[in-house]
Amino acid sequence: MEEVIKIINDIKAGTIKPIYFLMGEEAYYIDKLTEYIENNILTEDERGFNQMVLYGRDTTINEIVSNAKRYPMMADRQVIIVREAQDLVRTIDQLESYAENPQPTTVLVMAYKYKTIDKRKKISKTLAKNGVVFESKKLYENQVGTWIQRVLKGKGYGIDFKASAMLVEFLGNDLGKISNELDKLQIILPKGHTFTPNDIEVNIGFSKDYNNFELRKAIGERDEVRAYRIAENFAQNPKDNPIIVTTAMVFSYFSQLLQFHGLKDKSAENVAKVLGINKFFAKDYELAAKNFPMKKVSANVAVLRDIDVKSKGVGANALPTGDLLKEMLFKIFN
């Protein structure tokens, strides 16, 4: 995020590079930078003649270079944006010759999403020398909560830990999807508001009580009644709560718990670092470790492997979701 801010601040200060090669697994920042350049390099009047958007699947490197070598009309610069540039992966090396001597009055933006170019190759070094090469990396899920808080703080909002955890559970580390949902909340709720689990449930549709996050918490607390209630809800709504996902998340939970048992340093900071969680949740693992000794945790990992196999229809004669969830919980708790 700091690198994104620097690129934007440089542009605001008038330090504009002739090439912006934006690449990487996380599309969110690539889209944001592309959008900023599209809306801020040229004035509205200049864009009609001097701004062009191409798509990787419909163009070629030769066509891009040909357009990039043109001179702007009644403006200091022209902007050429190539969206979905990753579709040019087989010929991207052909951009090297242009990158060696780019047209100074052209701003060429290559939105090369979900892929990267080898930084050891000459083209990468040439692009970095004469332009900007930005790699947008996926955040780990334990980093997403902090990202959500920082984004919302910058817009005058807040969010509590559980609401943030709900978004991460349902949307993973896809920043684009999370951003879209946060935008919806900001339209509905006033600036200065702190988003709660109830806000998420009412306005987005993720249940604050019946989700995998709450199931794992109920298991860790050995709250059997709540765990079975959540499982029953899942069984009644199997499309919204696929058992394969539930099994994977509970398996991940016990795998982390196994790691927790093996830690010498069980401080919140170290637990968060090793388990890849927010330190706010470290105390939950401490409680779960008391409720499930290491031997039982190991046994539960084996149980979950078995349930996972059965959920995929192997050796279980296609048992209903509800029966599998009940079997899973019975074996976890007993």
Side-chain angles (χ1 to χ4, degrees), residues 218-249:
I219 290 171
E221 294 173 355
R222 268 196 171 274
D223 188 338
E224 297 187 34
V225 172
R226 186 155 59 99
Y228 277 105
R229 189 184 302 130
I230 294 170
E232 181 62 28
N233 179 273
F234 285 5
Q236 292 173 5
N237 303 279
K239 289 185 179 179
D240 295 331
N241 304 281
I243 188 170
I244 292 175
V245 175
T246 297
T247 306
M249 293 196 70

Side-chain angles (χ1 to χ4, degrees), residues 34-171:
T34 302
E35 180 183 335
Y36 182 83
I37 293 171
E38 185 174 9
N39 295 329
N40 291 277
I41 297 288
L42 302 178
T43 66
E44 189 172 348
D45 291 337
E46 291 171 335
R47 289 175 204 149
F49 291 108
N50 297 290
Q51 188 152 288
M52 176 183 295
V53 177
L54 302 171
Y55 288 84
R57 66 179 177 273
D58 299 323
T59 190
T60 64
I61 296 297
N62 285 338
E63 183 181 358
I64 293 167
V65 170
S66 177
N67 282 296
K69 286 182 176 179
R70 288 191 300 110
Y71 288 96
M73 294 179 62
M74 296 178 290
D76 294 332
R77 293 183 177 87
Q78 68 162 342
V79 174
I80 297 176
I81 295 169
V82 184
R83 299 189 184 277
E84 311 300 336
Q86 69 276 6
D87 289 337
L88 295 163
V89 61
R90 293 182 180 178
T91 56
I92 198 66
D93 285 353
Q94 295 174 14
L95 189 62
E96 183 185 318
S97 59
Y98 175 77
E100 288 176 349
N101 187 28
Q103 176 68 271
T105 55
T106 294
V107 178
L108 173 61
V109 181
M110 301 290 290
Y112 197 82
K113 297 193 286 190
Y114 315 116
K115 296 180 182 294
T116 60
I117 54 174
D118 190 336
K119 292 182 179 180
R120 297 168 298 181
K121 296 180 75 171
K122 186 179 177 183
I123 183 174
S124 179
K125 295 174 182 177
T126 305
L127 286 167
K129 179 183 177 183
N130 296 321
V132 171
V133 175
F134 167 72
E135 183 177 354
S136 186
K137 297 180 179 179
K138 279 281 187 187
L139 294 182
Y140 294 111
E141 286 198 4
N142 65 305
Q143 298 174 312
V144 178
T146 301
W147 178 85
I148 291 171
Q149 292 171 359
R150 189 159 59 173
V151 167
L152 288 176
K153 184 178 179 181
K155 296 181 178 181
Y157 290 86
I159 188 168
D160 73 20
F161 282 109
K162 185 177 175 182
S164 177
M166 286 172 65
L167 287 172
V168 177
E169 181 200 336
F170 285 98
L171 301 174

Side-chain angles (χ1 to χ4, degrees), residues 274-294:
V274 175
L275 271 58
I277 61 171
N278 190 298
K279 68 178 183 179
F280 175 80
F281 299 111
K283 64 181 184 298
D284 294 339
Y285 284 83
E286 184 177 351
L287 174 61
K290 292 177 181 177
N291 288 329
F292 295 94
M294 183 177 281

